[in-house]
Amino acid sequence: QVQLVESGGGLVQAGGSLKLSCVVSGSADSIDHIDWYRRAPGKLREWLTITHSGGKVLYLDSVKGRFTISRDNAKNTVYLQMNNLNPEDTAVYYCKGQNGEWGQGTKVTVYS
């Protein structure tokens, strides 16, 4: 089975940056299709990235140009670089495996 562990969340001032990590272990053949989601308080979980076969990535419009997904195969880790954060980005952030596996999430709080 695949296990996903998110980390890197915390408290950050508006305009600041955070880099989240998702460490993948278990039976995954690769980390190429790990994607990021988030859930704001009282709201449904929403997708942030969609990685297609071949590696093309789509981003949610509200984070396009500010968030970037990257991968380090040697470390079995997927990252989400988040720049120019605003309070609307406050949420618990999750990574998801290609077969629907979820990590435990890491909380991001942005204050103005």
Side-chain angles (χ1 to χ4, degrees):
Q1 64 274 19
V2 175
Q3 295 185 0
L4 311 171
V5 179
E6 302 96 335
S7 63
L11 184 66
V12 63
Q13 190 172 22
S17 298
L18 285 174
K19 188 174 184 179
L20 308 182
S21 298
C22 173
V23 178
V24 182
S25 63
S27 60
D29 292 328
S30 75
I31 59 173
D32 290 348
H33 301 294
I34 303 296
D35 282 301
W36 288 94
Y37 290 69
R38 69 184 181 188
R39 178 180 282 152
K43 298 182 179 179
L44 296 175
R45 186 149 49 194
E46 64 181 347
W47 66 271
L48 298 173
T49 69
I50 300 176
T51 302
H52 296 276
S53 297
K56 183 176 177 62
V57 179
L58 299 180
Y59 292 88
L60 184 68
D61 282 347
S62 63
V63 307
K64 189 183 303 181
R66 299 190 297 121
F67 291 12
T68 304
I69 189 172
S70 62
R71 310 172 197 274
D72 187 334
N73 288 304
K75 296 182 178 180
N76 294 314
T77 301
V78 183
Y79 303 97
L80 186 68
Q81 179 67 51
M82 307 188 297
N83 298 326
N84 195 25
L85 288 162
N86 58 66
E88 290 69 40
D89 295 316
T90 294
V92 178
Y93 285 71
Y94 301 87
C95 53
K96 183 179 75 67
Q98 67 180 62
N99 296 125
E101 306 92 348
W102 295 98
Q104 84 291 341
T106 185
K107 186 176 182 179
V108 173
T109 301
V110 185
Y111 65 93
S112 60

